[in-house]
């Protein structure tokens, strides 16, 4: 339970850092992209998506894995996978400049 609390706290802190605009280097792919590729991305929207995902997954990690049941872990995994797919689709559509 202590490890889950630490992971949840780290996820929330990372999400807040990204949402505050100080964690662009934490966004996978954006940090290593060329200047031309970075110009194609609306960074404010991308920060909102990635930071929001981290802030949501943090408490879910604590709440849903608080019990030692397999169904709780599977529920957590399903929610995380669904949210990640949604964020990936939005990052490649809504967060791109036109």
């Amino acid at each position: 339970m202590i490890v889950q609390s630490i992971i949840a706290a780290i996820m929330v802190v990372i999400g807040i850092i990204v949402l505050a605009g100080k964690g662009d280097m934490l966004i996978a792919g954006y940090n290593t992209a060329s200047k031309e590729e970075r110009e194609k991305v609306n960074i404010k929207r991308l920060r909102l998506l990635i930071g929001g995902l981290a802030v949501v997954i943090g408490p879910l990690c604590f709440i849903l894995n608080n019990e030692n049941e397999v169904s709780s872990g599977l529920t957590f995994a399903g929610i995380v996978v669904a949210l990640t797919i949604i964020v990936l689709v939005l990052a490649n559509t809504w967060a791109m400049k036109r």
Side-chain angles (χ1 to χ4, degrees), residues 10-28 30 43-55 87:
I10 289 171
M11 291 297 293
V12 171
V13 169
I14 288 172
I16 291 170
I17 290 170
V18 171
L19 286 171
K22 305 293 183 188
D24 292 347
M25 71 265 188
L26 298 173
I27 299 174
Y30 185 78
I43 188 62
K44 291 181 182 180
R45 289 181 176 182
L46 187 61
R47 284 182 195 142
L48 182 65
L49 288 170
I50 303 301
L53 180 67
V55 169
V87 167

Side-chain angles (χ1 to χ4, degrees), residues 83-96:
L83 287 174
T84 303
I85 290 171
I86 291 169
V87 167
L88 285 173
V89 169
L90 288 173
N92 286 304
T93 56
W94 182 66
M96 300 302 279

Side-chain angles (χ1 to χ4, degrees), residues 1-17 54-63:
M1 179 147 165
I2 294 173
V3 174
Q4 293 167 345
S5 299
I6 292 170
I7 292 171
I10 289 171
M11 291 297 293
V12 171
V13 169
I14 288 172
I16 291 170
I17 290 170
V55 169
V56 169
I57 288 178
L60 279 177
C61 180
F62 180 73
I63 293 168

